[in-house]
Amino acid sequence: MTRPSPAVVAVTVLLMALAAAPLLAAATAQPFVLFLLTRLMILAIAATGLNLVLGIGGMPSFGHAALVGVGAYAAAIVALQTGGGAWTQTFWAVAAATLAAFAMGAISLRTRGIAFILVTLALGQMLFFFAAALEPLGGDDGINVPATFAGDAGFYYAVFALLAAATAATAWVRATPFGMALRGGAVNEDRIAAAGIDLPRVRLLAFAASGAVCGLAGALTTFHTAFVSPAAMGWSRSAELVAMVLVGGAGAVAGPLFGTAAFVALEELLSGYTTRWHLVFGPVLVIVVLAARGGIAGWIDGRTRD
Amino acid sequence: MTEPVLSVRGMRRRFGGVVAVRDVDLDVRDGEVHAVIGANGSGKTTLLRMIFGEVQPDAGRVVLAGRDVSELPVPARVRAGIGRAYQISSNFRGMSTADNVAFGVRAGVGIATALLPGAAAARHAGERTLALLARVGLGKRADDLAEDLSHGEHRQLELAMALATGPRVLLLDEPFAGLGSAEALFVRDLIRGAGIAVLMVEHDLDAVFAIADRVTVLARGEVVASGDPAAVRADPAARESFGNGAAP
């Protein structure tokens, strides 16, 4: 056994803090904190899904918020049309988002670089406008969905367990031959092909798996807010997810959690002062990406190595 | 005479108005080292890339052990038995040398194996990976990062990576580029000792004539001479194409 890296220690501490938070919230009578932390964890699950494609696979997708949205809408449709419970909603959310991601990957993975960014962005926008056109589901305004969970601690812990599982799955996949091929492909596609590995197939599988995780995050969002709207699917939300992964540390196991925590913390702190808090988040993103290669996770690991 | 392992027929490729490779035929037999030489821009590397499938030819067939692989993409050609080492060491510098070699060892495994956890996957490919590293003289450097290797060691790693897929024919792009004489001697023995068909493109004529069983000379994309090294050395058309100074 090798010693765990400082970033792994840090993410463990962060997860333990999240696990203890409901007790603290109950003691201090601050239920809003739980709502906020639940949102943070759901975002972190979505970012973990994106990390597989963007961080580990080196594929800069700007359409992932739409995949989260597909999951959110699928859960909402099941709840509204069939009155299906949480398991049924989650199943269809994951299935729909996986399928959407498979299609998005099959089209976008024919391209590279800027073209890949634009194709994922365009396909994401297509899904966004499709959702906005769903008049029975409120169109642009979105629609309320019957609450599946009444904001109880059980839901908080379910989200927590899923985040921990997604984080552990990232660590596991990174070290498998599949994950190694994905990582290698991000560095040098030709070399992976020359090793006899069918990289396009590996990437498509990763894209679909990433969609599944994002679909799960979408279902959780619907459970959490009892509301769906296309606003959460647009390209700027996709860009925020990309920013979370980059700030946290692209490809790092702990990256999505760090990045999302930083994003939500800044949002909370700054939105108290101004609605234009992105004005501050933008420069922070630039500084982190330029100064700390490997994001927060890379910074934590690098500091102690010297 | 035995059937060739690799048979190339009528290879042609045009880039814009320039014909880079014109109707090239060549054969590589089992255990034979076949060297392709020629001046810069003579089409050597383009020919190699077409055989491997990285560049699509305008015309021509590639037959590997009786099987036409002309339409296959690179990974499928690799699994069919063509291995390739690169001129510029472009291995994965942030990974260990063992991980670099393991890519090829594990290629073509099923999805179940591909999703084995890291430690189990390492066991799965470990023995063959370590044997390959030992064979190219990197047995003690399995856990070192590729970026810590010297230039010569990178060439050795290149060979191990190319051999990792278990090829029947090995394509080598200037395996001697930038090597000192001792390292060159080591790589020469490695290539000779590989015991499989080798098609190499090379600038270093001393190395070529020391190692090759058969030499093909390209000039402006065409074969101007081909045969055993002594015959090519004596061929006036071949001598002319080397230009001054570099004559064998």
Side-chain angles (χ1 to χ4, degrees), chain A residues 73-85 88-89 144-148 222-223:
Chain A
Y73 268 88
I77 290 169
V78 169
L80 289 167
Q81 301 293 319
T82 72
T88 320
Q89 291 179 65
N144 288 319
V145 183
T148 312
T222 300
F223 297 156

Side-chain angles (χ1 to χ4, degrees), chain A residues 219-304:
Chain A
L220 295 174
T221 309
T222 300
F223 297 156
H224 186 222
T225 58
F227 177 70
V228 286
S229 111
M233 296 178 71
W235 70 269
S236 64
R237 285 307 187 91
S238 289
E240 282 176 0
L241 280 178
V242 169
M244 289 176 212
V245 171
L246 293 183
V247 166
V253 172
L257 185 49
F258 288 146
T260 314
F263 182 88
V264 172
L266 274 176
E267 185 185 47
E268 273 310 304
L269 284 174
L270 298 171
S271 58
Y273 299 99
T274 167
T275 53
R276 305 189 198 290
W277 67 277
H278 282 92
L279 278 176
V280 180
F281 185 72
V284 167
L285 173 64
V286 171
I287 289 167
V288 169
V289 170
L290 289 182
R293 291 182 63 89
I296 299 173
W299 177 70
I300 292 175
D301 271 345
R303 258 169 64 91
T304 47

